[in-house]
Amino acid sequence: MRYFVCLVIKYIKMSKDTPFFSVIVPAFNAEKSIPRLLESIFAQSFIDYEVILVDDCSCDQSADIIKSAVKKNPDKKLQLLTNAKNRGVSFSRNSGIKIAAGKYILFADADDYYYDDRAFEKLHDEIAETDNPDILLFGFVKEYHKLRGKKKPRKSRYSIKKWQANKNYQIAIFPQKYIWNLTARRDLINKNQLTFDENITMNEDAIWRCELLWCASTIAALNEMLYCYTRPAEGGTLTTDNEIPLAERFSNVIKTIRGVEASRRKWRGPRLLIWPSILLIITILPLYFVVIYTIGFFRDRIFLRRNVLK
């Protein structure tokens, strides 16, 4: 009887110590932006979470800011990991996954923030209503700064519909490289040994996302904007996606497609879902870029002309 009571007490204690969400945040030279991210996390109405911050040998005050936040918020489950040397974002995320204890894992970038102070609460409620899916996708906002000299940022909203919570749609028809607009079961990640490729520096998140989707059995969607992706990052020079050089945009698309195909082969996904979409993208994308750049060219000239006349 005593042994049984001890087991019950131990189980209750473990349940209390196990958070529902683990938020993994890689940080490198993010002293100007990480306070905003932490503030958006601390403001969450749902508090059953832990935050794992991985400092990748920052040269600024990022580590000190994180340490200060840990000391000032003893009631929050904050952990700081420091890489022995600069290893990149993939290594940092893998380190966070290894020690994560939450039922579900969230990823956040140090220069972004949560757009809704009920984001975790809404995710938790949706997970409960959809019977604990392997993956829950949600909407986000893109916040553009330094937009042709304007002081106020411009925001674009990206929602996700229920019917878009489909593996084939997400991988073959509408491939994305974002990992911060989803939350996934930690046991799914660990069971399938999903890790970020530490040997590449671009589109590693696209490949990881595809592998995650391939091995998932159930996917749900929450049509609310919960996360804010800021562009450019602190110190960046680009403004909107349309101003990224054509060669760079096309290269990124091709690399994303290659990552999709690599994950399909690994998880033995149906070939026919991938190749028609690749052919369609290769056929339509150049024309799309030409149209976008043409519109952007005349739009910018009109904008500049108006400013000169004023």
Side-chain angles (χ1 to χ4, degrees), residues 179-239:
I179 58 171
W180 31 252
N181 70 322
L182 62 81
T183 183
R185 294 179 63 95
R186 182 172 61 88
D187 55 5
L188 174 72
I189 295 172
N190 292 336
K191 178 182 177 182
N192 293 281
Q193 299 180 342
L194 299 179
T195 58
F196 292 88
D197 191 339
E198 298 172 12
N199 297 315
I200 59 176
T201 57
M202 283 189 66
N203 293 81
E204 75 291 330
D205 44 359
I207 296 173
W208 188 92
R209 177 188 171 106
C210 289
E211 292 195 16
L212 177 71
L213 287 165
W214 277 124
C215 65
S217 298
T218 54
I219 303 173
L222 177 60
N223 188 19
E224 292 199 39
M225 275 61 73
L226 305 181
Y227 186 90
C228 186
Y229 167 64
T230 59
R231 185 171 185 86
E234 198 66 46
T237 55
L238 299 174
T239 51

Side-chain angles (χ1 to χ4, degrees), residues 113-180:
Y113 62 96
Y114 283 97
Y115 194 66
D116 190 332
D117 58 10
R118 294 183 57 218
F120 294 177
E121 178 185 347
K122 291 178 179 179
L123 288 173
H124 173 268
D125 292 346
E126 187 68 20
I127 288 171
E129 290 177 9
T130 52
D131 296 326
N132 302 304
D134 289 335
I135 301 173
L136 175 60
L137 306 167
F138 52 90
F140 61 94
V141 173
K142 276 190 178 181
E143 187 176 84
Y144 299 104
H145 293 265
K146 305 177 185 176
L147 185 62
R148 289 179 291 278
K150 293 183 179 180
K151 293 183 179 180
K152 292 185 178 180
R154 193 194 79 187
K155 295 179 180 179
S156 299
R157 300 173 183 271
Y158 295 82
S159 61
I160 180 167
K161 309 299 182 183
K162 297 289 185 181
W163 63 268
Q164 293 176 319
N166 179 280
K167 183 186 302 185
N168 297 331
Y169 175 85
Q170 288 292 321
I171 294 176
I173 302 176
F174 192 65
Q176 286 188 345
K177 65 177 183 177
Y178 308 130
I179 58 171
W180 31 252

Side-chain angles (χ1 to χ4, degrees), residues 28-302:
F28 178 72
N29 291 348
E31 63 178 8
K32 294 182 180 180
S33 58
I34 202 164
R36 179 181 58 182
L37 171 65
L38 291 175
E39 182 180 346
S40 72
I41 293 175
F42 295 159
Q44 292 296 313
S45 57
F46 184 82
I47 60 174
D48 189 12
Y49 63 82
E50 66 172 355
V51 184
I52 302 172
L53 299 122
V54 187
D55 179 58
D56 196 20
C57 295
S58 298
C59 304
D60 60 5
Q61 301 299 312
S62 297
D64 293 334
I65 292 173
I66 296 172
K67 290 176 183 177
S68 176
V70 172
K71 290 181 180 179
K72 291 180 180 179
N73 298 274
D75 57 322
K76 308 290 184 182
K77 293 182 179 180
L78 301 180
Q79 297 185 65
L80 171 61
L81 301 181
T82 304
N83 296 338
K85 60 180 181 179
N86 185 264
R87 299 292 299 272
V89 66
S90 293
F91 180 88
S92 297
R93 287 174 178 149
N94 289 336
S95 299
I97 291 174
K98 288 178 182 177
I99 68 167
K103 183 177 180 181
Y104 280 81
I105 286 181
L106 284 162
F107 293 99
D109 288 345
D111 46 15
D112 299 337
Y113 62 96
Y114 283 97
Y115 194 66
D116 190 332
D117 58 10
R118 294 183 57 218
F120 294 177
E121 178 185 347
K122 291 178 179 179
L123 288 173
H124 173 268
D125 292 346
E126 187 68 20
I127 288 171
E129 290 177 9
T130 52
D131 296 326
N132 302 304
D134 289 335
I135 301 173
L136 175 60
L137 306 167
F138 52 90
F140 61 94
V141 173
K142 276 190 178 181
E143 187 176 84
Y144 299 104
H145 293 265
K146 305 177 185 176
L147 185 62
R148 289 179 291 278
K150 293 183 179 180
K151 293 183 179 180
K152 292 185 178 180
R154 193 194 79 187
K155 295 179 180 179
S156 299
R157 300 173 183 271
Y158 295 82
S159 61
I160 180 167
K161 309 299 182 183
K162 297 289 185 181
W163 63 268
Q164 293 176 319
N166 179 280
K167 183 186 302 185
N168 297 331
Y169 175 85
Q170 288 292 321
I171 294 176
I173 302 176
F174 192 65
Q176 286 188 345
K177 65 177 183 177
Y178 308 130
I179 58 171
W180 31 252
N181 70 322
L182 62 81
T183 183
R185 294 179 63 95
R186 182 172 61 88
D187 55 5
L188 174 72
I189 295 172
N190 292 336
K191 178 182 177 182
N192 293 281
Q193 299 180 342
L194 299 179
T195 58
F196 292 88
D197 191 339
E198 298 172 12
N199 297 315
I200 59 176
T201 57
M202 283 189 66
N203 293 81
E204 75 291 330
D205 44 359
I207 296 173
W208 188 92
R209 177 188 171 106
C210 289
E211 292 195 16
L212 177 71
L213 287 165
W214 277 124
C215 65
S217 298
T218 54
I219 303 173
L222 177 60
N223 188 19
E224 292 199 39
M225 275 61 73
L226 305 181
Y227 186 90
C228 186
Y229 167 64
T230 59
R231 185 171 185 86
E234 198 66 46
T237 55
L238 299 174
T239 51
T240 66
D241 288 345
N242 293 337
E243 294 169 289
I244 301 174
L246 179 61
E248 181 181 342
R249 293 189 71 184
F250 196 75
S251 174
N252 286 340
V253 170
I254 296 300
K255 288 179 180 179
T256 302
I257 292 172
R258 290 177 63 185
V260 170
E261 175 62 9
S263 66
R264 183 199 67 79
R265 289 179 179 177
K266 181 176 180 180
W267 297 100
R268 300 178 181 179
R271 183 184 299 270
L272 291 177
L273 293 174
I274 294 295
W275 288 110
S277 65
I278 292 176
L279 181 61
L280 187 64
I281 289 173
I282 292 175
T283 303
I284 294 178
L285 203 60
L287 178 61
Y288 166 77
F289 283 151
V290 168
V291 172
I292 290 298
Y293 274 87
T294 301
I295 293 173
F297 175 84
F298 287 106
R299 179 193 59 200
D300 292 344
R301 293 303 177 277
I302 294 171

